[in-house]
Amino acid sequence: MPPEAPKPCGMRKGMDQMTTKWVYKFGGGDADGGTGDKNLLGGKGANLAEMAGIGLPVPPGFTITTEMCTRFYELGEDFPDDLDAQVQAGMQHIEKITGRRFGDTAAPLLVSVRSGARASMPGMMDTVLNLGLNDDTVAGLAAESGDERFAWDSYRRFIQMYSDVVLGLDHYLFEDAMEIAKEDKGVYLDTELEADDLKALVAVYKEKVEEELGRPFPQDPKDQLWGGIRAVFSSWNTERAKVYRRLNNIPHDWGTAVNVQAMVFGNMGDTSATGVAFTRDPSTGENRYYGEFLINAQGEDVVAGIRTPQYLTKAGKDAAGADKPAMEEAMPEVYAQLADTFALLEKHYRDMQDIEFTVQEGTLWLLQTRNGKRTAPAALKIAVDMAAEGLITEEEAVCRVDPQALDQLLHPTLDPDAKRDVIATGLPASPGAASGIIAFTADEAERRASLGEDVLLVRVETSPEDIHGMHAAKGILTARGGMTSHAAVVARGMGRPCVSGAGSLSIDRQTKEMTVGGRTFKEGDRLTIDGGTGEVMAGEVATVQPVLAGDFGTLMDWADKKRRMRVRTNAETPAECHTAREFGAEGIGLCRTEHMFFEADRITAVREMILSEDESDRRKALAKLLPSQRSDFEEIFRVMAGLPVTVRLLDPPLHEFMPQSDADFDEVARASGFSVERLKRRASELHEFNPMLGHRGCRLGITYPEIYEMQARAIFEAALTVAEENDGDGDTVLPEIMVPLVMTAGELSTIRALVERTADAVFQERGRRIAYLVGTMIELPRAALKAHEIAAHAEFFSFGTNDLTQTTLGISRDDAGRFLGDYVDKGLLARDPFVSIDEGGVGELVALAAERGRSTAPEIKLGICGEHGGDPDSVAFCEKTGLAYVSCSPYRVPIARLAAAQAALRSSD
Amino acid sequence: MPPEAPKPCGMRKGMDQMTTKWVYKFGGGDADGGTGDKNLLGGKGANLAEMAGIGLPVPPGFTITTEMCTRFYELGEDFPDDLDAQVQAGMQHIEKITGRRFGDTAAPLLVSVRSGARASMPGMMDTVLNLGLNDDTVAGLAAESGDERFAWDSYRRFIQMYSDVVLGLDHYLFEDAMEIAKEDKGVYLDTELEADDLKALVAVYKEKVEEELGRPFPQDPKDQLWGGIRAVFSSWNTERAKVYRRLNNIPHDWGTAVNVQAMVFGNMGDTSATGVAFTRDPSTGENRYYGEFLINAQGEDVVAGIRTPQYLTKAGKDAAGADKPAMEEAMPEVYAQLADTFALLEKHYRDMQDIEFTVQEGTLWLLQTRNGKRTAPAALKIAVDMAAEGLITEEEAVCRVDPQALDQLLHPTLDPDAKRDVIATGLPASPGAASGIIAFTADEAERRASLGEDVLLVRVETSPEDIHGMHAAKGILTARGGMTSHAAVVARGMGRPCVSGAGSLSIDRQTKEMTVGGRTFKEGDRLTIDGGTGEVMAGEVATVQPVLAGDFGTLMDWADKKRRMRVRTNAETPAECHTAREFGAEGIGLCRTEHMFFEADRITAVREMILSEDESDRRKALAKLLPSQRSDFEEIFRVMAGLPVTVRLLDPPLHEFMPQSDADFDEVARASGFSVERLKRRASELHEFNPMLGHRGCRLGITYPEIYEMQARAIFEAALTVAEENDGDGDTVLPEIMVPLVMTAGELSTIRALVERTADAVFQERGRRIAYLVGTMIELPRAALKAHEIAAHAEFFSFGTNDLTQTTLGISRDDAGRFLGDYVDKGLLARDPFVSIDEGGVGELVALAAERGRSTAPEIKLGICGEHGGDPDSVAFCEKTGLAYVSCSPYRVPIARLAAAQAALRSSD
């Protein structure tokens, strides 16, 4: 046990009498665990063990399990008694392999202490390097390495990092001291400081620590070790880590592992280096090594984006027009060894790898490998290429691409022909184009975005504290940092376009101005970035639709072969229908008819209808609406020829069509001829306390059957017209009439009878019949419970999971903002139930309704048309429940197709 | 088949090839059916068969079943082929027993055609008497009876009634002709017209029919018969019948039977008579015959209230101070036979009977018997008396009283000491006192009542068309009609006080004035009636609380012995708690705490709390609320000493506490010191689109734990104070803390931990502990589905069926007015789901939550605290579901006690 952790409550600790294996060792050609132990050892620990197991050069170390993290929090941030001995054994394992001893003044062992959760959380948690250095061992390190400067530089780095991470001191304290030291000496680079300078700097650092804390910097390596372990476990619950988990749907109870590993040094002179590499290009997916390294540096120097790194390959260097030699040129032997390792790891893991390495005096060490994060285009290309290379199967390729990530590919890119006022160029850090107004802080970005504005976050460089602003922004622009800087990595993960390292930008946070090439831009000015080229442009640049061919087409073809469920779209304009068909929609699952009522030429007739005193006046007003409603449907049926079109009859309460403000009332009074008084009286009669639970859906059709009658007539007349047009080409018109908000079987049978009467009348008038279906939305708990009765009158059910979520959970979507985030943060809800279906509550009702509906009508067609239809997790639920189709907004159709394929493949496992 | 019914669609009719028994015969000492066949034969038909079967004098006849009614509507208001032969056989049965023939000119058989549903619907459906008379048979009737006047009077009555009921002609046509005939002759009473006058009148009647219809009055008795049968079946679906069924919860699909029966005549001179009788007083329940009769009259004359009838018994006559002899005096022999029959029928049916009889030339005939409708006090007295007499058991007595009807007994009566400005006295037709403003039409009564005014419906006499106005009114006052007039019967059924036949009132519908004793009252003036004394008073008279002893106490004692469920109350003021205890409440099931926040001295602190910028300001404002909240609880705990008190933590969204109008804002700004701008900004921040589904319930406790902490502290501090006071008398304080609107187990465990921490703190401060429970409301569908998880943290569930109904059905109670009535009328909902629990939907969730909750916590206490807790049908559902208690408003506690007893008795059957 660390001595600074008191044990006030022996009883509690005493409960851990049966020894649990908390510590897993690796290194020296062997390991206790491997890739399969990711849940227990975290991603980093499991992969270090795996690499050690297959004989790759991994510095020896051990992993403290994620279970320890859980236990740590159960004990009120404390450790059980039996951990101490296991950690000691782990240290002995490292000492044995390295031949060094922890705290030894002759051959001191230094270790790193790093976090490693099941899922990667880059930059979110803490790391301490060079642990084990003190006033005694630094001398040993100097003597042994023969490099006094190296030893003192390591020590000063260690003090700075340990003070920041473990002791909670501000890193500016040390940076300031460093700046002063450099100024005093009149040098510019850290590397220009000599051993004695650094030695003096260490003294200053230690003084500052004692000043701040009132006690000296810890000299006992064991104290240092326990402090580091504690800090890493504690960093699991920092605010920024919690936000990251929420944004990435990582459960709070997973916990992190802690990896303690022998240090290797990339900063032991010019035969030493440190770098990061991807086995393929994580931005485009091209099959070429992609990476950066720094000679004579530690790993954090690369990631921090402070020194501009060199390229790994000559091709990469040449393409970028960089000056400094590539690693392929500077260290050809080690590079060759590295390239062999890349091939081995890709084959072993059957996926693109993201690797951290260090070269210590010409010897290669691997510090980490993991499946590399990649952009959506890269994911697509890598999956398709690897299947073509025979490395993975088509099924695996389909499962390799995160459907959610396709979103990036489906949105417009900059029009290549549009005029561009390029003001700067940076690194193409995350693809895609984004326009928005400038925000210089994450808070400002979040605030402006919450007002509905498109925002670009513009920063010198980003840090984990900026995560909420990056999420809120449409794109990120930084003045410093490379392709693997924080901004670049996080932006790629979030699917936000990013241009990093645009060095010509001068950003002044104080005055909130950015100057470049003599031009000044203020907060609120508009910029456009192209994350594919690195260009930064003034103003907004026109965009074009993406071309969905090549790898995308190949993968979607594979996906379509594997999926069972159909994918439809929620669309109500011809333009949306076109887009959806291009994205592969196999019909319309939800065509809302109310939006058609809002158009300027119709709203007057709608209001006349609402103001009617009796049915006959209402019918007159509806007669005016019929032609436009009919022509809406004609257009839709034309675009969707040959595919089913589910039309939902009028759903919202009538007051939604009434004017809102006094000015609106005046205008409507002038336009309609109704007095303001009459309009206001009617609006007040129609006012509802809870419109969501009000006089809407089929309740309107029960009270005012003539409204639904007009809509049914418009549908059938339009269908017959388009059917006649289609007679030549054999495409059929397949209308499916959907009745909303049903709670009893009687409602549906009543409306169904009305629809059938209307159809018969139209068919008789036109002398031609067409096939059509009548069905209902299941969007109230009672409808789900009564599905067996309702199914007797329905040819299909479409689960309206938006409203079903609102009623089942008793949460108004419009009002949930004030507490829903809090609920997810506090773990009271696993996810936002409006984004991903609440399987335990809403999901049970859906499954029950499906079962009961089928008990009456075994052939009933079941689908979903809530927003959940485009959410991969919800699509997986639909597959499990055996639904026939999902329906989602046009841009999510490819996402749903891929998610449906993955769900089908996984369910057949 | 009737010749006027064409058969366009032979196929449809051909489906009835298997012969169904549509016709059941009775009379001549035997019958096909009996009381047990009420569903098939209707109440009247089943009882006629029963009486015939036990040898009572019933004119022979037959019943066409209620199944025929269903079939009739299935066939689009037409009859199946096989009915004709069965009706013919029925007519032959009557002919055989009476020795008369239908359409015979020498001894013509005349029949009545009457409706008869399962449940009595007095005055709601059609009847035709004297059917079979035509120009030929009228002569035979005259010759045979030796009474030409009687024959022609019967014929003219028949034409009038048949024209009204079957041919759809306006009865004023005939009444006008009758008035002219009387004026021409210079007489006042119908009975003063002689045979020739009536003969001439018949000719006029027939002319009028032919004028109106373009075809002569039907002369073929078979046409008449089928017309009558059709009219009765059709009358099942008149608007007034539908309204009655809705008000009385009679399903629309029950249908009516049709009874065809040989006519007997009470209008064959002074040895003939017709009357109605109750075997006990239906108003008070006293064990004495109660009835009225008219010499030389047909039955409709009594019910219509046109002639003032004579009393049955001498005692009755004397008590009323009437002039004309009682039947006991006028017809002593028949009276004696009638009295024997009363005794026989009461013993046979084991209940008070409502009997219609006719005396034809000294011979008694029974036309109907049924369990008599009665007032609530009468029901109580009859049940208790009959049990004392040994006629029924205590269990039966408990089941005999409609719990709903107790409502009449539980409300105030006129203060006997108050000054009464009596302006008139009529008959005490239905007990209870009512004050209200005058409405002279049913529509006006309904309109004013819908504005929230108390209304008295004041009419010369009422008719079935007035039913909606009677329902809307607090009481009914008529100038004409007896104790069995339409007004009296319907008012007693509805539990509305009624004074009928207040002959001194002169009512002018045109000028909307009522004059009496020289004083004039206009529409909108206020009157009071006392249905127990018949007094009509100007203005409003003070009332007193009812005394709940005597029969009421006896019956409630019996009920309490039989019931399994506990009955609690929903109450939050000490006064309400007092009332509820007096009515037998066994604890508080729902004490809402928000009402305490609205009081003038607190609302400012509440608003301060809402306007606080941070937790520390909120805590300051809450500290101001603590003392008053604590003293509220102290008072309640004192009143409820020894009984459990369930306190619900704050439930409504905070914006409910903000001012609403501009004037309110100004006032609050002055009082609170907050600027109007700040108040408005906060109100607008808090505004919700659907407050029912908003930031309320335990969501407040999650966001602002300090609010619930203050409330928990107030509860525990108050409980300890009252526990100390009670130490002498051994009564304990039993607080049960209820968490509202839970949807996940995590919410409850979070709030539970908060409550427990607070309890521990208070117990430590005060040095004393008390027992308490923590539980939750189940009022969201998700909570019901997750009951097994939630139960792990709850000692009790209380089903909040108001909100559960809102969410399960997706109906906002505040907004349902516009369509819910329509839904019940159209049969889309059997009942208003906020009055009687929707067993199929909400009920399933309750049952499922009970089962799942018990699967985790077998001993969990289950109750209900929605308004449904006081609705007898819902109480029966709770018994079936095995709940431990129901909780309802104080005045409904006795209703719930009785309903719970009945439910227990019925479930043990």
Side-chain angles (χ1 to χ4, degrees), chain B residues 785-855:
Chain B
L785 295 169
K786 290 292 189 185
H788 47 297
E789 294 177 7
I790 294 169
H793 311 283
E795 273 115 19
F796 63 90
F797 282 170
S798 179
F799 291 97
T801 49
N802 296 349
D803 281 2
L804 193 57
T805 299
Q806 297 200 78
T807 46
T808 304
L809 276 65
I811 296 182
S812 163
R813 195 175 178 173
D814 295 325
D815 302 310
R818 260 194 298 286
F819 57 90
L820 213 52
D822 227 25
Y823 264 64
V824 175
D825 288 352
K826 290 185 177 162
L828 294 171
L829 285 172
R831 309 266 309 260
D832 179 336
F834 294 107
V835 170
S836 201
I837 197 165
D838 162 42
E839 285 198 38
V842 175
E844 178 173 0
L845 286 177
V846 170
L848 179 140
E851 184 195 316
R852 291 187 179 180
R854 287 199 185 104
S855 74

Side-chain angles (χ1 to χ4, degrees), chain A residues 655 685-696 698-699 702-703 705 741 743-744 746-747 750 780-783 785-786 788 806-812 814-815 818-820 822-823 826 828-829 838 840-842 844-845 848 852, chain B residues 655 685-696 698-699 702-703 705 741 743-744 746-747 750 780-783 785-786 788 806-812 814-815 818-820 822-823 826 828-829 838 840-842 844-845 848 852:
Chain A
H655 53 78
E685 279 167 20
L686 290 173
H687 171 265
E688 293 185 317
F689 294 97
N690 297 291
M692 161 67 206
L693 309 175
H695 193 187
R696 52 168 287 233
C698 72
R699 295 164 193 175
I702 295 290
T703 318
L741 211 73
M743 68 179 169
T744 75
E747 291 173 318
T750 303
L780 294 174
R782 192 181 199 279
L785 295 168
K786 289 294 189 182
H788 49 298
Q806 297 199 78
T807 47
T808 304
L809 276 65
I811 296 181
S812 163
D814 295 325
D815 302 311
R818 261 193 296 286
F819 57 91
L820 212 51
D822 227 24
Y823 265 63
K826 289 184 177 161
L828 294 171
L829 285 172
D838 162 42
V842 176
E844 179 174 359
L845 286 178
L848 180 141
R852 291 186 178 181
Chain B
H655 53 78
E685 279 168 21
L686 291 173
H687 170 265
E688 293 184 318
F689 293 97
N690 296 292
M692 161 67 208
L693 308 175
H695 194 188
R696 51 168 289 233
C698 70
R699 295 164 193 175
I702 295 290
T703 318
L741 211 74
M743 68 179 169
T744 75
E747 291 172 320
T750 303
L780 294 175
R782 192 182 199 279
L785 295 169
K786 290 292 189 185
H788 47 297
Q806 297 200 78
T807 46
T808 304
L809 276 65
I811 296 182
S812 163
D814 295 325
D815 302 310
R818 260 194 298 286
F819 57 90
L820 213 52
D822 227 25
Y823 264 64
K826 290 185 177 162
L828 294 171
L829 285 172
D838 162 42
V842 175
E844 178 173 0
L845 286 177
L848 179 140
R852 291 187 179 180

Side-chain angles (χ1 to χ4, degrees), chain B residues 138 142 145-157 178 189-199 267 296:
Chain B
V138 67
S145 67
D147 184 346
E148 203 174 10
R149 188 194 177 285
F150 156 71
W152 284 99
D153 189 42
S154 299
Y155 192 20
R156 74 97 194 154
R157 283 169 187 265
M178 166 73 92
L189 293 175
D190 296 3
T191 44
E192 292 174 273
L193 291 177
E194 288 163 38
D196 283 346
D197 305 325
L198 293 166
K199 202 167 179 173
N267 54 347
N296 197 17

Side-chain angles (χ1 to χ4, degrees), chain A residues 365-598:
Chain A
W365 294 99
L366 296 173
L367 299 182
Q368 164 143 313
T369 191
R370 56 185 173 189
N371 294 339
K373 283 191 190 288
R374 63 206 77 178
T375 62
L380 208 54
K381 179 160 178 55
I382 291 170
V384 172
D385 283 356
M386 283 191 167
E389 292 160 22
L391 210 56
I392 58 176
T393 64
E394 280 183 14
E395 285 81 0
E396 282 176 297
V398 165
C399 290
R400 282 285 169 86
V401 178
D402 175 8
Q404 222 39 291
L406 290 186
D407 211 21
Q408 292 177 50
L409 303 182
L410 303 175
H411 285 284
T413 52
L414 293 181
D415 180 354
D417 300 330
K419 203 173 158 305
R420 301 179 177 205
D421 174 11
V422 178
I423 55 171
T425 301
L427 299 173
S430 178
S435 281
I437 56 169
I438 298 172
F440 288 114
T441 66
D443 287 345
E444 179 68 8
E446 194 177 51
R447 193 185 69 77
R448 294 253 189 174
S450 75
L451 299 174
E453 296 187 76
D454 288 346
V455 176
L456 283 187
L457 179 64
V458 178
R459 304 276 284 153
V460 174
E461 56 190 322
T462 63
S463 73
E465 279 78 15
D466 293 326
I467 200 103
H468 61 292
M470 298 175 76
H471 195 255
K474 295 285 171 193
I476 296 125
L477 170 62
T478 68
R480 279 163 62 176
M483 293 290 284
T484 51
S485 66
H486 178 265
V489 170
V490 172
R492 283 199 294 272
M494 284 182 177
R496 296 285 179 286
C498 176
V499 171
S500 68
S504 58
L505 303 179
S506 165
I507 296 166
D508 188 333
R509 266 186 61 183
Q510 295 304 110
T511 61
K512 299 203 173 176
E513 283 180 352
M514 173 183 99
T515 51
V516 57
R519 295 164 73 175
T520 300
F521 297 85
K522 293 183 186 302
E523 200 147 59
D525 287 348
R526 190 166 293 273
L527 294 181
T528 299
I529 59 170
D530 185 338
T533 64
E535 284 178 320
V536 182
M537 290 144 279
E540 186 151 9
V541 177
T543 55
V544 289
Q545 289 293 328
V547 179
L548 301 176
D551 293 331
F552 179 86
T554 305
L555 193 85
M556 293 310 288
D557 283 349
W558 294 347
D560 288 347
K561 280 192 291 181
K562 310 300 175 195
R563 76 182 151 93
R564 181 190 60 76
M565 286 192 294
R566 294 276 173 188
V567 175
R568 297 193 185 187
T569 191
N570 303 344
E572 48 252 2
T573 66
E576 286 174 341
C577 295
H578 266 300
T579 304
R581 265 203 104 144
E582 270 172 32
F583 284 157
E586 295 163 297
I588 293 183
L590 174 62
C591 172
R592 300 176 183 90
T593 52
E594 51 269 22
H595 293 186
M596 303 171 181
F597 280 24
F598 278 109

Side-chain angles (χ1 to χ4, degrees), chain B residues 434-727:
Chain B
S435 281
I437 57 168
I438 298 172
F440 288 116
T441 64
D443 288 346
E444 180 68 9
E446 195 177 51
R447 192 185 70 78
R448 295 253 190 175
S450 75
L451 300 173
E453 296 187 75
D454 288 346
V455 177
L456 283 188
L457 179 63
V458 178
R459 303 277 284 155
V460 174
E461 55 190 323
T462 62
S463 73
E465 280 78 16
D466 294 326
I467 201 100
H468 63 290
M470 298 174 75
H471 195 256
K474 294 284 171 194
I476 296 125
L477 170 61
T478 68
R480 278 162 64 177
M483 293 289 285
T484 51
S485 65
H486 178 267
V489 170
V490 172
R492 283 200 294 272
M494 284 182 178
R496 296 285 179 287
C498 175
V499 172
S500 68
S504 60
L505 303 180
S506 168
I507 296 166
D508 188 334
R509 267 186 61 183
Q510 295 305 109
T511 61
K512 300 204 171 174
E513 283 180 353
M514 174 182 97
T515 53
V516 57
R519 294 167 71 177
T520 300
F521 297 85
K522 294 184 186 301
E523 201 147 57
D525 287 349
R526 191 166 292 273
L527 294 182
T528 300
I529 59 171
D530 185 338
T533 65
E535 284 177 321
V536 182
M537 290 143 281
E540 185 151 11
V541 177
T543 55
V544 289
Q545 289 292 329
V547 180
L548 299 176
D551 294 331
F552 180 87
T554 306
L555 193 84
M556 293 309 289
D557 284 349
W558 294 347
D560 287 348
K561 281 192 291 182
K562 311 299 174 194
R563 74 183 151 92
R564 182 190 60 76
M565 286 192 295
R566 295 275 172 191
V567 175
R568 298 193 184 186
T569 192
N570 303 344
E572 48 251 3
T573 67
E576 285 173 341
C577 295
H578 267 298
T579 304
R581 265 204 107 144
E582 271 173 32
F583 284 156
E586 295 163 297
I588 292 184
L590 173 62
C591 174
R592 299 176 185 90
T593 52
E594 51 270 22
H595 293 186
M596 304 170 179
F597 279 24
F598 279 107
E599 289 184 31
D601 54 331
R602 301 162 190 193
I603 188 74
T604 305
V606 173
R607 286 173 177 150
E608 253 176 60
M609 186 265 288
I610 295 172
L611 287 157
S612 298
E613 302 284 350
D614 57 27
E615 185 187 323
S616 123
D617 283 355
R618 256 193 309 278
R619 284 190 179 276
K620 276 179 213 147
L622 286 165
K624 295 186 199 167
L625 284 169
L626 177 64
S628 43
Q629 181 107 90
R630 182 174 53 217
S631 79
D632 289 333
F633 291 131
E634 282 172 9
E635 286 192 72
I636 289 169
F637 288 138
R638 277 188 199 109
V639 177
M640 300 307 292
L643 296 176
V645 175
T646 307
V647 178
R648 182 177 70 185
L649 299 177
L650 192 69
D651 185 51
L654 295 182
H655 53 78
E656 285 200 7
F657 299 102
M658 294 299 280
Q660 304 296 327
S661 69
D662 279 354
D664 287 350
F665 272 109
D666 288 345
E667 197 189 311
V668 171
R670 269 195 306 279
S672 66
F674 292 112
S675 70
V676 170
E677 291 64 39
R678 178 156 172 206
L679 286 168
K680 286 201 171 174
R681 193 178 62 234
R682 186 68 178 139
S684 131
E685 279 168 21
L686 291 173
H687 170 265
E688 293 184 318
F689 293 97
N690 296 292
M692 161 67 208
L693 308 175
H695 194 188
R696 51 168 289 233
C698 70
R699 295 164 193 175
L700 294 171
I702 295 290
T703 318
Y704 309 116
E706 52 278 8
I707 300 179
Y708 277 14
E709 191 186 315
M710 181 281 283
Q711 293 200 297
R713 173 166 283 276
I715 293 167
F716 291 118
E717 290 183 352
L720 284 173
T721 298
V722 178
E724 280 157 21
E725 294 168 8
N726 288 357
D727 276 343

Side-chain angles (χ1 to χ4, degrees), chain A residues 13 17 84 254 314 325 340 360 438 473 487 505 580 611 626 714 729 754-755 791 807 833 836 840 896:
Chain A
K13 305 294 175 69
Q17 284 313 328
D84 195 29
W254 277 7
K314 189 169 177 306
D340 289 347
Q360 181 176 333
I438 298 172
L505 303 179
L611 287 157
L626 176 64
D729 53 27
L754 172 79
V755 169
T807 47
S836 202

Side-chain angles (χ1 to χ4, degrees), chain A residues 188-309:
Chain A
Y188 178 68
L189 292 176
D190 295 2
T191 44
E192 292 174 276
L193 292 178
E194 289 164 39
D196 284 346
D197 304 324
L198 293 166
K199 202 166 178 175
L201 195 57
V202 162
V204 174
Y205 276 17
K206 288 198 296 178
E207 269 168 35
K208 287 199 177 274
V209 169
E210 189 150 5
E211 235 167 62
E212 290 290 317
L213 289 184
R215 54 185 162 87
F217 185 83
Q219 290 290 322
D220 181 342
K222 276 194 187 163
D223 289 356
Q224 294 175 357
L225 179 63
W226 280 107
I229 293 172
R230 171 180 297 277
V232 172
F233 279 133
S234 293
S235 69
W236 176 252
N237 263 356
T238 58
E239 272 317 303
R240 69 180 197 221
K242 285 198 242 174
V243 170
Y244 185 91
R245 288 200 292 273
R246 178 156 59 86
L247 294 177
N248 291 277
N249 300 311
I250 298 171
H252 295 304
D253 62 2
W254 277 7
T256 184
V258 170
N259 298 292
V260 177
Q261 192 177 18
M263 284 296 299
V264 288
F265 297 97
N267 53 348
M268 284 183 78
D270 291 343
T271 58
S272 297
T274 189
V276 296
F278 292 86
T279 55
R280 305 192 182 209
D281 188 321
S283 188
T284 63
E286 279 170 287
N287 190 359
R288 58 186 181 202
Y289 306 144
Y290 179 90
E292 299 165 329
F293 81 115
L294 279 170
I295 289 177
N296 197 18
Q298 279 202 337
E300 314 315 290
D301 299 334
V302 182
V303 176
I306 295 165
R307 278 166 62 190
T308 299

Side-chain angles (χ1 to χ4, degrees), chain A residues 51 88 119 136 140 170 266 310 327 389-390 450 462 515 528 530 532 581 608 664 670 690 698 742 757 854:
Chain A
M51 287 195 291
Q88 274 188 40
D136 299 329
D170 196 327
Q310 294 160 250
M327 186 178 182
E389 292 160 22
S450 75
T462 63
T515 51
T528 299
D530 185 338
R581 265 203 104 144
E608 252 175 63
D664 287 349
R670 267 195 307 280
N690 297 291
C698 72
V742 157
R757 272 199 310 276
R854 288 198 185 105

